[in-house]
Amino acid sequence: MENNRKILSLKDIVVKFRVRSKMLTSIRNISFDIYDGETVAIVGESGSGKSVLTKTLTNMLESNGYIANGSIMYYPNEDSKNDPKTAFKDEINLIKFHKGALTSEARKSIKSYNNLRIKEAKTKIGILTKQIEMNIDAINSQIEIDNLTREIENAYQEMASFNRLSRRTRKKMRPIMKEIATPEGVNFLEKTMIENALDYLKNEEYLTEFEILLQEILHKVNDKIAIDSQEVNLLLEIWTFQNQSALKNKTQANKNLKKLRGGTIATIFQDPMTSLNPLLSVGYQITEVLRAHQKMSFIEAKQEAIELMKKVGIPNAEKRFKDIPGKYSGGMRQRIVIAVALACKPKILICDEPTTALDVTIQAQILDLIKQLKKEYNLTVIFITHDLGVVANIADRVAVVYAGQIIEYGTTNDIFFDARHPYTWALLSSLPQLGNKGEDLYSISGTPPSLFNEIKGDPFAPRNDFAMAIDYELEPPMFEVSPSHGAKTWLLDPRSPKIEKPKQLSRLREAVSEAKVGE
Ligand SMILES: Nc1ncnc2c1ncn2[C@@H]1O[C@H](COP(=O)(O)OP(=O)(O)OP(=O)(O)O)[C@@H](O)[C@H]1O
């Protein structure tokens, strides 16, 4: 967070997966900013949503998944703006590529899933209304109706952002959009044109993203409220997207995703063999990337590949250029994967548990390498791990993920020495460095909630030794502890009893300095 300049900003991200006839919500309304040049660690138990969260950034979700809500803004830094080979020089919402790349089957199934949600909620509302009329459990029925009404709104909203405009609507809106597309056009619209458009939109059963935005803009024009040119640009962008064929949108989106992956955001996975071709020499694999991304000739690419191999610490790089990955050890293969990633000149490097499969000494070497390269290449690093020892070693800031939500974030010091969420306490307590010889290591009891169901209250409540009645009823907001630190727990509400964090955490300072390597 050296300069406090955002490079990525996630807002209200929701990710869902279709699993047979059911829907699993893997990420639940995550909002989080990532700053240029920082290393941020995403930590949490297995299945908490760490990988899915980072996969949304480059749209690497499996085909049964989709980003149901939210935005991911990418703000290119000065390096990107000055790099002639960088694809994205202006701020951009990465969700746009995701939507464009969706298949028509995925779009259809999103529509039918939401229609079903609406139908079921409406039926339940009908039954509850009858109960209220008969004076049966009126208060609870009304609460339930309010929840179901919200569910219907959410379903409509989700459909709105994926649905294409009908041919009829496109025809109706063409004249007004033609005017809006001219310079300052939005400020010179005829009153009758505005009224006709608003009347038409009022009678639609539900509105798409485009229609909602157009409606907002037209109301502002009527009320003589100044309109931001960015709003108009967004409207025109969605209009163009809606009028292009689905195939053209998809081709464009896929092209952009190809440029985004590697060139802007590169990912290193736990198993290097998922990224390397076992049949091709490592040198060839690096040169291919250099030729594609940096448009180098074969000779230039070979020289640069050898340089990169040296940079990531491959001894006898010239000789080993021709070896296939099978001839390398696990640690060396991971170094090659890092070299491939660097060959794309990324601005952001996602490391998804890159050291988990390696033994401790090699792990420390790879962490040191990432740290050193981060400085040299001015990278922003997003590091996924469930190992808090690794976090202590590498991260400037930490986001703790539980059941698809960020439940605490802060600087590494905030999280290690001033954690406020009982889940973070539990994660820290299970650090091997805090164990006593001969005693069982602390482990968090119970299991995370099923992501198929709506989660009532705080998802951690059933496993939380400090849970209060409210934790089972109402989801806690993110309380701000300091400008750099927040935690989503009712314990931070001034009305909550004062709780002492677990005693074993007082030994953390010592344990963390032992865990640090290469410092
Ligand atoms: N393609 C998919 N279909 C259905 N569910 C999925 C899919 N991918 C991920 N999930 C679910 O989303 C949730 C979050 O998974 P994710 O892989 O992000 O966890 P994680 O925190 O990275 O765990 P790990 O440390 O084990 O990798 C899990 O419940 C997982 O089962």
Side-chain angles (χ1 to χ4, degrees):
M1 227 200 331
E2 274 141 30
N3 48 13
N4 263 0
R5 194 197 154 280
K6 281 181 217 169
I7 191 159
L8 280 173
S9 180
L10 285 73
K11 278 234 149 44
D12 299 324
I13 293 294
V14 176
V15 178
K16 297 185 181 180
F17 288 98
R18 293 177 299 277
V19 183
R20 289 179 288 277
S21 59
K22 287 164 99 184
M23 195 64 87
L24 176 149
T25 309
S26 172
I27 300 295
R28 299 168 182 254
N29 280 92
I30 284 190
S31 297
F32 192 60
D33 292 330
I34 294 172
Y35 297 94
D36 189 21
E38 74 170 338
T39 297
V40 60
I42 316 267
V43 301
E45 285 167 297
S46 187
S48 54
K50 306 180 295 290
S51 301
V52 170
L53 181 63
T54 50
K55 280 181 188 168
T56 60
L57 304 179
T58 48
N59 192 23
M60 298 227 277
L61 297 173
E62 281 83 2
S63 60
N64 63 330
Y66 69 101
I67 305 172
N69 189 41
S71 62
I72 302 175
M73 293 305 298
Y74 167 64
Y75 303 102
N77 60 15
E78 283 308 307
D79 278 358
S80 308
K81 288 179 186 163
N82 297 329
D83 179 353
K85 285 173 185 156
T86 291
F88 307 107
K89 292 185 190 291
D90 296 312
E91 62 180 64
I92 190 161
N93 186 355
L94 303 180
I95 301 282
K96 196 166 87 171
F97 305 151
H98 169 68
K99 285 190 183 159
L102 274 181
T103 60
S104 58
E105 295 82 63
R107 238 173 248 283
K108 271 186 212 149
S109 79
I110 293 170
K111 192 173 174 180
S112 57
Y113 151 70
N114 281 300
N115 273 325
L116 188 68
R117 260 171 101 187
I118 294 165
K119 200 171 144 201
E120 284 178 356
K122 283 185 176 168
T123 312
K124 282 188 199 155
I125 289 178
I127 297 168
L128 292 163
T129 310
K130 282 212 177 89
Q131 282 190 11
I132 293 176
E133 281 164 11
M134 292 189 292
N135 237 338
I136 307 170
D137 203 12
I139 295 177
N140 282 332
S141 299
Q142 190 51 53
I143 294 174
E144 190 59 8
I145 288 179
D146 292 347
N147 288 340
L148 289 163
T149 310
R150 227 166 294 130
E151 168 84 3
I152 293 174
E153 275 167 20
N154 287 344
Y156 274 132
Q157 199 190 358
E158 192 174 309
M159 273 204 286
S161 69
F162 287 98
N163 267 6
R164 282 176 71 79
L165 286 174
S166 66
R167 200 172 292 165
R168 184 168 151 260
T169 307
R170 272 187 280 157
K171 198 169 159 209
K172 281 273 178 203
M173 295 299 134
R174 201 156 286 141
I176 197 163
M177 288 312 296
K178 214 169 149 190
E179 291 297 319
I180 292 177
T182 60
E184 290 295 320
V186 73
N187 296 317
F188 292 100
L189 293 173
E190 281 175 28
K191 213 168 170 42
T192 46
M193 203 177 226
I194 298 175
E195 276 164 9
N196 287 343
L198 285 174
D199 272 350
Y200 176 81
L201 296 174
K202 208 163 65 190
N203 291 325
E204 287 283 85
E205 191 198 347
Y206 69 86
L207 301 180
T208 63
E209 192 181 28
F210 166 80
E211 290 165 310
I212 295 168
L213 189 56
L214 177 61
Q215 201 179 41
E216 274 172 20
I217 290 177
L218 295 182
H219 279 306
K220 279 190 186 167
V221 176
N222 267 347
D223 299 342
K224 301 200 167 39
I225 298 172
I227 294 154
D228 191 339
S229 63
Q230 277 189 359
E231 268 180 293
V232 177
N233 290 344
L234 179 63
L235 183 77
L236 291 169
E237 201 178 293
I238 309 177
W239 175 247
T240 311
F241 182 82
Q242 291 279 352
N243 279 288
Q244 272 176 185
S245 73
L247 182 66
K248 187 162 182 201
N249 284 336
K250 204 167 158 198
T251 316
Q252 242 175 25
N254 281 327
K255 245 192 206 164
N256 278 320
L257 280 171
K258 223 170 162 181
K259 289 182 198 160
L260 180 76
R261 291 178 193 152
T264 303
I265 306 179
T267 308
I268 303 170
F269 294 100
Q270 178 177 341
D271 176 5
M273 288 316 277
T274 52
S275 320
L276 297 173
N277 184 329
L279 302 174
L280 300 173
S281 75
V282 295
Y284 180 78
Q285 296 188 55
I286 306 173
T287 49
E288 276 304 280
V289 174
L290 287 167
R291 293 178 71 188
H293 280 263
Q294 313 291 338
K295 310 273 177 271
M296 289 182 177
S297 69
F298 183 77
I299 303 287
E300 283 169 331
K302 186 173 176 185
Q303 269 170 359
E304 179 66 18
I306 291 171
E307 277 312 304
L308 280 171
M309 287 172 70
K310 286 181 185 164
K311 196 152 259 172
V312 296
I314 306 286
N316 293 327
E318 284 92 350
K319 265 195 178 158
R320 305 223 57 187
F321 183 85
K322 284 204 171 133
D323 283 344
I324 55 165
K327 292 209 168 166
Y328 281 67
S329 66
M332 285 294 163
R333 267 184 228 150
Q334 200 56 294
R335 286 174 191 267
I336 294 295
V337 174
I338 295 173
V340 173
L342 292 179
C344 303
K345 289 240 166 97
K347 310 298 175 247
I348 299 170
L349 183 68
I350 300 175
C351 303
D352 191 347
E353 308 248 12
T355 59
T356 308
L358 306 172
D359 74 49
V360 183
T361 1
I362 309 293
Q363 193 175 54
Q365 288 172 9
I366 297 287
L367 290 183
D368 274 351
L369 176 66
I370 294 172
K371 275 199 238 177
Q372 173 206 322
L373 295 171
K374 183 208 135 178
K375 255 194 211 148
E376 193 174 334
Y377 286 79
N378 192 20
L379 295 166
T380 301
V381 177
I382 304 174
F383 205 101
I384 303 175
T385 180
H386 58 257
D387 183 342
L388 284 163
V390 169
V391 175
N393 210 333
I394 197 154
D396 301 311
R397 284 200 311 143
V398 184
V400 184
V401 181
Y402 183 74
Q405 295 185 322
I406 291 181
I407 53 91
E408 183 155 13
Y409 66 86
T411 61
T412 306
N413 276 346
D414 290 335
I415 297 299
F416 275 93
F417 309 126
D418 191 24
R420 301 299 178 102
H421 199 291
Y423 177 65
T424 315
W425 293 342
L427 272 187
L428 290 167
S429 301
S430 50
L431 258 176
Q433 289 84 351
L434 289 187
N436 285 327
K437 247 191 179 157
E439 284 175 23
D440 281 346
L441 201 59
Y442 175 88
S443 70
I444 313 173
S445 60
T447 48
S450 162
L451 299 177
F452 281 109
N453 308 326
E454 186 72 20
I455 300 174
K456 196 173 173 195
D458 182 339
F460 189 56
R463 306 172 75 187
N464 182 2
D465 293 339
F466 310 99
M468 299 173 284
I470 185 131
D471 285 310
Y472 294 91
E473 290 301 322
L474 215 58
E475 187 181 326
M478 181 67 84
F479 287 92
E480 193 177 274
V481 179
S482 74
S484 67
H485 186 188
K488 207 166 149 45
T489 166
W490 283 118
L491 288 180
L492 289 176
D493 187 288
R495 290 162 291 180
S496 297
K498 193 143 176 46
I499 302 282
E500 288 298 320
K501 61 182 179 183
K503 279 206 177 61
Q504 63 269 33
L505 297 186
S506 58
R507 294 208 310 275
L508 258 173
R509 220 167 264 280
E510 203 183 319
V512 167
S513 61
E514 271 170 30
K516 286 197 179 188
V517 287
E519 302 264 290

